[in-house]
Structure formats: C-alpha cells, structure tokens
Amino acid sequence: MNLIFLGAPGAGKGTQAESVSTKYGLPAVSTGNMLREAVKNGTEAGLKAKSFMDAGDLVPDEVVIGILKDRIALDDAKNGFILDGFPRTVEQAEALERMGVNIDKVINIHVADEKIIARMSGRRVCGDCGASYHIEYKPVKTEGVCDLCKGEVVLRDDDKPETVLMRLKTYHEKTAPLIEFYGNRGKLRTVEGQEEIKDTTKLTFEAIDV
C-alpha cells in the first residue's frame, strides 16, 4: 500500500504518517528529513537545497526526485511506503506517475492557517536524527534532549513565525492544487485535524481503511 500525506506545514501529517507507519509496517518517507540530512552531510543535493529551504521556498523538483528515487528503492519500501512532503506540486505528482509509482490513497490533513501558526511555534526537531516533537502535544521527556538519540532538540528556522507565513503562502499557491489533482483520480481522503492527536489518528485510520 503506497500512501501520500498532504497538508499545510504544521498540519500534523508527519505525526500521522508515523502512526500509520507503525500500524501497517510501512516506512514513512519524509523528504523534509532526507533533505535536511543531505544539508547536514554537505552533499551536492544538500547544498543545492539549502538556499531554498532557508528562504522557505520549495526545493527544485530534480533535487527532491533524485533523493526520493534512491529512498524508495531500498528493501524496506518494497511492500509499500508513506510519502510525507512529496509531492508538493502538481508537476511533482506527474513526475511520480512517470516514475511508474502507483499511489493507492492520498490523505489530506486539513487544519486552518491560524491554528497552524500557533502549532508551529511550539514545534521542536532533533538536530541529529530528525525526530519531531511539540512542547504541548508531544513533549520530550527531558528538556532539549531527543528521546530517541539524545541529540539536541531545537526550534528550526523554518518553524519561526515569519518563515511559517511564507511557507503557508507557498503551500496555498503550489501544493493545494494537489487536492484537486488527486480528487479527480478518486484517491483523495480528507481528514479534519483535531485538537487531540489521537482523535486525528482515529480519523486517519478510518480514511485509510475505507
């Protein structure tokens, strides 16, 4: 089963992808994490991506697709995978189809912009392993320390309010059209994001099992 999670930055698609990954035994492939890893390691793709990420813009398709191709070719993705953060444009979705990748369902996590801005100001990410946390919804056990690898947990530059506003603008212009794209293909399932993560997760499982 190949799934895509859509939603504005901070809508909670990464958290839901993790829950679905655990339940169904599918790897959650976050292009955001892969790109940040490439930036951290100073790879060619990472250096290309960095200037766009710092400005809150989308990374060029050829950079993202190259990294993604390598990832879904790994053994753990042979029986299916969850894409979180890709595609972000209709052009990327079309490229995915040209790659011969069949997508079974697309889960759209919908949350109003004002709620997203409030949510993202509390989001924290491990600088080493990329694990995601939130000071209110998913706090670390020890202040500033990742539960998984003990790395430092920080507020990313692209989660700061001024960057969030730019990212939301980019999302509405370039990513939101994917809702219509996959809706026309009969693959879209929209889940209304709830205040409690577990409530959103319940709705997400129901959308997948339909």
Side-chain angles (χ1 to χ4, degrees):
M1 180 167 58
N2 299 336
L3 303 172
I4 288 173
F5 274 80
L6 293 181
K13 56 188 180 294
T15 299
Q16 294 308 317
E18 287 177 15
S19 297
V20 172
S21 172
T22 300
K23 179 176 179 179
Y24 295 94
L26 301 173
V29 180
S30 167
T31 50
N33 284 347
M34 287 191 297
L35 285 168
R36 282 187 286 275
E37 186 68 19
V39 169
K40 179 182 172 184
N41 293 335
T43 66
E44 183 179 352
L47 293 174
K48 286 181 181 178
K50 189 175 188 304
S51 61
F52 293 92
M53 293 168 68
D54 287 347
D57 291 333
L58 296 179
V59 177
D61 291 356
E62 64 269 18
V63 178
V64 181
I65 291 171
I67 294 173
L68 179 66
K69 278 184 175 179
D70 292 340
R71 178 62 187 88
I72 64 176
L74 298 180
D75 286 345
D76 68 339
K78 286 289 195 292
N79 293 322
F81 51 82
I82 302 162
L83 295 185
D84 167 19
F86 185 94
R88 289 195 178 187
T89 64
V90 169
E91 290 76 17
Q92 288 181 347
E94 292 170 343
L96 199 62
E97 291 184 344
R98 289 195 297 272
M99 286 167 60
V101 179
N102 177 59
I103 299 301
D104 297 297
K105 291 180 182 176
V106 177
I107 309 300
N108 175 43
I109 308 293
H110 176 260
V111 177
D113 284 4
E114 58 269 22
K115 288 187 178 180
I116 283 177
I117 293 169
R119 278 187 184 184
M120 291 183 75
S121 64
R123 193 158 74 169
R124 301 292 183 269
V125 175
C126 176
D128 291 338
C129 75
S132 297
Y133 301 94
H134 193 283
I135 58 175
E136 182 179 351
Y137 302 113
K138 189 183 176 184
V140 291
K141 294 174 183 174
T142 303
E143 181 75 23
V145 180
C146 177
D147 294 349
L148 301 178
C149 76
K150 306 306 178 188
E152 183 183 7
V153 174
V154 298
L155 171 64
R156 290 194 339 230
D157 287 342
D158 56 358
D159 285 338
K160 292 177 179 176
E162 61 273 20
T163 309
V164 171
L165 288 172
M166 286 192 296
R167 293 177 71 195
L168 283 171
K169 182 174 182 289
T170 299
Y171 168 77
H172 288 299
E173 289 176 353
K174 299 186 177 182
T175 305
L178 285 167
I179 294 170
E180 181 179 1
F181 180 87
Y182 284 114
N184 290 339
R185 284 158 172 72
K187 297 182 177 182
L188 187 74
R189 307 288 187 274
T190 294
V191 171
E192 291 294 331
Q194 306 296 305
E195 287 300 317
E196 295 288 334
I197 290 176
K198 61 181 176 58
D199 294 332
T200 305
T201 300
K202 180 176 182 290
L203 294 175
T204 298
F205 287 159
E206 290 174 356
I208 290 172
D209 290 336
V210 168

